[in-house]
Amino acid sequence: MKRPPIEIAVAGDPLPARYWASIQFPPNPKLDWLPLLQKHLPRPGSPELLYKRGEYSFGLDVVRAAAISLVLLSHLWRPVEFLGVAGVELFFALSGFLIGGIFIRGSEKGFGAGDLIAFWRRRWARTLPNYFLFLFVFWALLPPRDTDESTYFFSYMTFTQNLFWPISDFFSVSWSLAIEEWFYVIFPVVALFFIAAFRGPRPAILATILILIAGSFLTRVLNPTPHPNLQMRMVVGFRLDALALGVLGAWLVHWHSALVRMLSHRVIVCAAILLLPTLGLSLLHFGSSMPPVLVALLFTAIPLSALLIVLASLDCPAIGGVAGASIKGLSRWSYSLYLSHIPVLFSLYRLPGYSDFTDATKILVRFLGISLALLISFLLFTYFEQPALNALSRSRAKT
């Protein structure tokens, strides 16, 4: 029995219809697998293929906006502080996913030492200016309580403030940035080593991902802590797998799009949306009493849930109007907002008589603080962050 011509995209390009028309399928109605194949393999113009080519995805803006919104909500009212865990894990999964996609696309074209330096240069132009700006802002507004300021300064300048130990109270929001910065260094170096060994990016990148996931898991199992939320969740040596799982998502999109389509089923996505904050709540309230292996698994399950949400977001259609503009704005300003909301809120906590305010008044003050942080982040993005990125683009164009 001869099937009608169909067009299915594999590895980024549609197979010609004449190829499918030439295939003879056995006339077995009980084994009619073609509809399933058509359902799960991406077609030309599908979100996965657009992402493979490095094109813009509105769904990823939705994830970034949701992540920063969860972080901000966690500071409004103490009972929902577990939402902050979910928000940061979404940031980790999204960062790993984006970095993985950039690296995979580059590795297929050939990725040498010069490309690695350019890769780091782009990442650091995006992250370092704001980081060092707020490091000095914190130093001025909320200085460290420890008298050994030189030690603090060196550790925060080199992102070693939480390398294998818990972060201090000073500039504590930087814990997640240190994890990301170390991942940006470690992942491409290890991946390039395996690419040379395997003579190809596909198995090499997968090996790198699995090593980082397994290594982080074993590190957590072998080094249990009485307070995993502070002494494990916020420590670089325990959490590299949070971004490695994001890279796994990019790897699947690039080479196993059919599996991504199946993982993006609405039932699985709804379960992940419910599971992510639930796991965060479990970590905050029950993590200290869990066996080490269960804690290690919990720290794998949380970013895995976040990854499923990121993958599902690729199917999210763009929307216009105020809602669409708000999502894009929050997405663009999310990095500045993540850094600025803490010094703003902590400064408000020092208001005379703040401790005597009613709960409703405290929530109102925090809401006003977050609104102020939103304005600050807009100004920073417009007049500091974006000009720095534009300067990098101009310097690259000259070279």
Side-chain angles (χ1 to χ4, degrees):
M1 167 173 137
K2 198 172 185 178
R3 293 285 183 183
I6 61 173
E7 195 176 57
I8 297 179
V10 178
D13 294 308
L15 292 178
R18 64 178 180 275
Y19 172 82
W20 292 96
S22 65
I23 297 178
Q24 298 294 325
F25 292 89
N28 185 353
K30 295 182 178 179
L31 193 61
D32 196 5
W33 50 268
L34 185 60
L36 182 64
L37 182 69
Q38 288 178 272
K39 178 181 179 182
H40 290 296
L41 281 179
R43 295 182 177 278
S46 69
E48 301 99 308
L49 298 184
L50 293 176
Y51 172 75
K52 282 185 187 180
R53 295 194 290 266
E55 298 184 21
Y56 169 75
S57 170
F58 177 76
L60 298 182
D61 272 350
V62 173
V63 173
R64 193 179 288 108
I68 190 61
S69 298
L70 290 172
V71 171
L72 296 177
L73 283 173
S74 71
H75 290 286
L76 274 179
W77 192 35
R78 188 173 181 83
V80 296
E81 64 180 351
F82 65 92
L83 295 178
V85 176
V88 174
E89 296 301 324
L90 279 174
F91 274 129
F92 282 155
L94 182 59
S95 294
F97 184 72
L98 293 172
I99 294 303
I102 293 170
F103 187 84
I104 288 169
R105 288 190 291 271
S107 66
E108 288 197 316
K109 301 173 184 176
F111 205 91
D115 300 297
L116 179 59
I117 293 173
F119 172 84
W120 284 334
R121 187 182 179 188
R122 288 192 298 270
R123 287 299 90 206
W124 290 335
R126 173 73 175 87
T127 59
L128 295 190
N130 267 5
Y131 174 84
F132 288 122
L133 172 65
F134 277 96
L135 174 59
F136 289 106
V137 167
F138 270 84
W139 203 278
L141 298 180
L142 303 164
R145 299 173 184 174
D146 198 321
T147 55
D148 190 4
E149 295 185 357
S150 60
T151 302
Y152 271 97
F153 189 79
F154 178 78
S155 64
Y156 283 89
M157 291 290 289
T158 57
F159 292 96
T160 56
Q161 63 266 43
N162 60 325
L163 189 58
F164 293 108
W165 39 81
I167 194 168
S168 69
D169 291 335
F170 171 72
F171 199 21
S172 58
V173 72
S174 67
W175 70 269
S176 60
L177 307 180
I179 293 174
E180 291 195 10
E181 294 300 332
W182 278 102
F183 185 85
Y184 296 157
V185 173
I186 294 171
F187 167 74
V189 170
V190 177
L192 285 178
F193 171 79
F194 280 114
I195 287 174
F198 284 99
R199 299 183 181 276
R202 184 173 177 176
I205 293 174
L206 180 60
T208 305
I209 293 167
L210 296 178
I211 286 174
L212 290 176
I213 293 174
S216 299
F217 179 82
L218 288 176
T219 302
R220 292 193 292 265
V221 172
L222 298 176
N223 298 274
T225 64
H227 303 290
N229 179 50
L230 298 175
Q231 299 173 341
M232 188 173 285
R233 183 172 74 93
M234 301 181 181
V235 176
V236 174
F238 293 119
R239 298 305 318 280
L240 292 177
D241 59 335
L243 281 90
L245 282 164
V247 179
L248 178 61
W251 188 89
L252 290 173
V253 166
H254 203 81
W255 283 300
H256 293 279
S257 295
L259 179 57
V260 173
R261 300 293 290 177
M262 297 170 75
L263 291 174
S264 299
H265 190 280
R266 61 173 59 92
V267 174
I268 296 177
V269 175
C270 289
I273 292 174
L274 293 174
L275 191 62
L276 180 58
T278 302
L279 292 175
L281 181 64
S282 301
L283 173 66
L284 293 183
H285 291 275
F286 308 110
S288 299
S289 59
M290 289 181 179
V293 174
L294 189 56
V295 171
L297 286 172
L298 184 63
F299 278 113
T300 302
I302 292 175
L304 183 59
S305 301
L307 172 61
L308 292 174
I309 296 172
V310 170
L311 293 178
S313 74
L314 296 176
D315 274 330
C316 181
I319 59 175
V322 176
S326 300
I327 289 171
K328 290 180 180 179
L330 274 176
S331 176
R332 285 194 298 266
W333 311 330
S334 60
Y335 183 45
S336 296
L337 189 52
Y338 182 76
L339 287 169
S340 64
H341 79 283
I342 290 294
V344 170
L345 289 176
F346 277 37
S347 297
L348 292 177
Y349 296 162
R350 295 184 174 186
L351 288 173
Y354 176 84
S355 59
D356 298 325
F357 290 173
T358 64
D359 290 343
T361 304
K362 287 181 179 179
I363 291 175
L364 177 60
V365 170
R366 293 168 192 165
F367 179 80
L368 293 175
I370 289 173
S371 300
L372 177 59
L374 188 60
L375 175 61
I376 292 172
S377 65
F378 163 72
L379 296 174
L380 280 172
F381 178 84
T382 305
Y383 298 107
F384 183 74
E385 188 177 342
Q386 190 63 47
L389 292 174
N390 291 339
L392 174 65
S393 299
R394 287 194 296 270
S395 66
R396 288 176 60 196
K398 292 179 181 178
T399 57

